[in-house]
Every structure is written in C-alpha cells, then in structure tokens.
Amino acid sequence: SPSSRRGMTKLQTMTFRIDEVRYTLRTGQITGEDSRLFRRDTGQPLQIFDAATPTIGIDTLAEMIWIARRQAGERKLSYLDVEKSLTLESVQSLEVDIEDDELRAGEIEDPNE
C-alpha cells in the first residue's frame, strides 16, 4: 500500500498569507522539539491542518504560523506571542496555498531499500 512506502511520500508545504505577510510551513520538517515546546506552552498536542480539514480554528492557525516562523529561523519565538497576535479580523484575510512537494531521488533515503 502507498502508506507503507515511506520513501515515496509527498511532503505538504503550506503557504499562508495574513495581512500581506507570508508564512511557509513545511509539514515534513516539523520536529519533536516543535511538538514538545508547543505541549509545554499549551498542555495540548500539535494539531496540524491539512487539505482534508474543512475548517481551521484560530488556535490551530496560530500553531501553524508559529511552526512556520520557527522553521524560518525564529527559534526563540513563543507560541503564546503568536496566539496573542492573531485576531478574528486578521484571519478573515487568510489565504492558504497547499502544495505537495515531489521529492527528487536521493533527497530522503528510503530505509526500506
């Protein structure tokens, strides 16, 4: 089945635009550290939006922007600071572009080969 063929995976990349600011989240690059720090700050597990999710809550959006900003180099950024900065009004301007990144041969080693 395709789900058992790990080396053949497409990694989702999501680009958000809110109030003319762009954030790019690479779901395949979310780390255990991201998960641990989010749980430390909120007591909750990470919940990542994907194309199959019909709606997105403001808290889930905040967590995705937080990870995208960490991936862009803001390693000391607090999730709670991102959460406080989002408003329902700013979420109204949200645009999301989701792409499946095709992996080129050799980019990620398949442990089953």
Side-chain angles (χ1 to χ4, degrees), residues 13-16 22-26 64 67-69 71-72:
T13 298
M14 288 177 257
T15 301
F16 310 95
R22 294 172 67 85
Y23 307 96
T24 299
L25 172 67
R26 291 170 179 81
M64 292 165 62
I67 293 173
R69 289 177 62 181
Q71 289 178 343

Side-chain angles (χ1 to χ4, degrees), residues 8-11 99-105 107:
M8 307 302 282
T9 332
K10 292 178 179 178
L11 299 181
E99 298 174 24
D100 285 331
D101 287 346
E102 293 278 359
L103 293 178
R104 290 186 289 276
E107 277 192 274

Side-chain angles (χ1 to χ4, degrees), residues 58-77:
I58 192 168
D59 55 340
T60 303
L61 179 62
E63 103 189 39
M64 292 165 62
I65 289 172
W66 174 70
I67 293 173
R69 289 177 62 181
R70 282 179 52 80
Q71 289 178 343
E74 293 182 67
R75 304 300 295 167
K76 303 285 188 202
L77 180 66

